Amino acid sequence: MTGVYHHIAPVWAKLRLTPISDEFTYERFEQLLEDYEEKDKKSIKYFMISGPGVLGIGNSYLQDILFRAKIHPKRLVADINDEECRGLHGAIRETMKKAIELGGRYDERDLYNNPGRYIRILDSKAKGNPCPACGTTIEKIQYLGGASYFCPGCQT
Ligand SMILES: [Zn+2]
């Protein structure tokens, strides 16, 4: 993880993009995916945790982002079409804005020891339960050093 982080981090640092800033436009996000050198080899999860992870998108928020965007965590970056890219950008904005407004996740605490109010759609209890959108059973895989929860019905 550390090696990956060091390899990718300067790219994001240079862009100074945070997911909730006005500069994080669809056009810029699309350009990031387009310019990504390993897009034919790496998955969207890899891209998201090794890049924007620096900007505050952790593995847990990523579950909800990919769910909202209806994209499977193992999809190659190069395979993501324009419509999906737009959905993904919207899902990042929506998820991170909600997370900040609600003071973080319910399973983490702030400086004053108050729990956050952001309820994750796909958390560790989601596995085996029906998808809130389509009713398909949520699956869990171990992938890239962390658990990935996803709906095999919605996320392709
Ligand atoms: Zn579903």
Side-chain angles (χ1 to χ4, degrees):
M1 182 65 195
T2 312
V4 168
Y5 186 94
H6 283 298
H7 178 64
I8 311 266
V11 178
W12 293 96
K14 199 167 64 190
L15 289 164
R16 291 169 201 239
L17 282 176
T18 65
I20 56 155
S21 78
D22 290 341
E23 283 133 50
F24 182 65
T25 60
Y26 168 68
E27 286 73 21
R28 290 193 73 175
F29 181 62
E30 186 189 33
Q31 197 65 49
L32 288 178
L33 292 180
E34 184 62 39
D35 294 345
Y36 184 47
E37 287 177 10
E38 296 185 282
K39 64 182 173 185
D40 294 319
K41 287 182 244 144
K42 300 294 189 190
S43 68
I44 191 64
K45 175 172 176 178
Y46 182 91
F47 175 82
M48 295 286 289
I49 59 174
S50 59
V54 180
L55 306 170
I57 301 178
N59 187 49
S60 55
Y61 290 118
L62 183 60
Q63 318 292 329
D64 286 3
I65 289 169
L66 293 178
F67 177 79
R68 287 191 166 107
K70 302 187 190 309
I71 297 174
H72 191 287
K74 288 190 177 179
R75 279 282 294 286
L76 281 180
V77 172
D79 282 349
I80 292 176
N81 66 34
D82 289 353
E83 194 186 329
E84 288 170 330
C85 183
R86 203 167 276 281
L88 186 55
H89 175 259
I92 293 169
R93 300 279 288 187
E94 185 187 344
T95 304
M96 298 317 291
K97 273 191 176 161
K98 272 191 184 149
I100 288 164
E101 279 166 18
L102 297 172
R105 303 194 314 258
Y106 65 88
D107 52 355
E108 60 188 5
R109 286 175 183 269
D110 68 12
L111 288 173
Y112 307 101
N113 207 32
N114 298 312
R117 287 174 294 120
Y118 180 87
I119 307 292
R120 292 160 63 188
I121 305 168
L122 297 184
D123 66 7
S124 58
K125 294 189 283 292
K127 186 194 168 196
N129 286 328
C131 164
C134 77
T136 304
T137 305
I138 300 295
E139 289 185 12
K140 175 188 181 182
I141 50 171
Q142 283 298 329
Y143 180 49
L144 297 175
S148 278
Y149 300 90
F150 65 97
C151 170
C154 293
Q155 292 172 258
T156 52

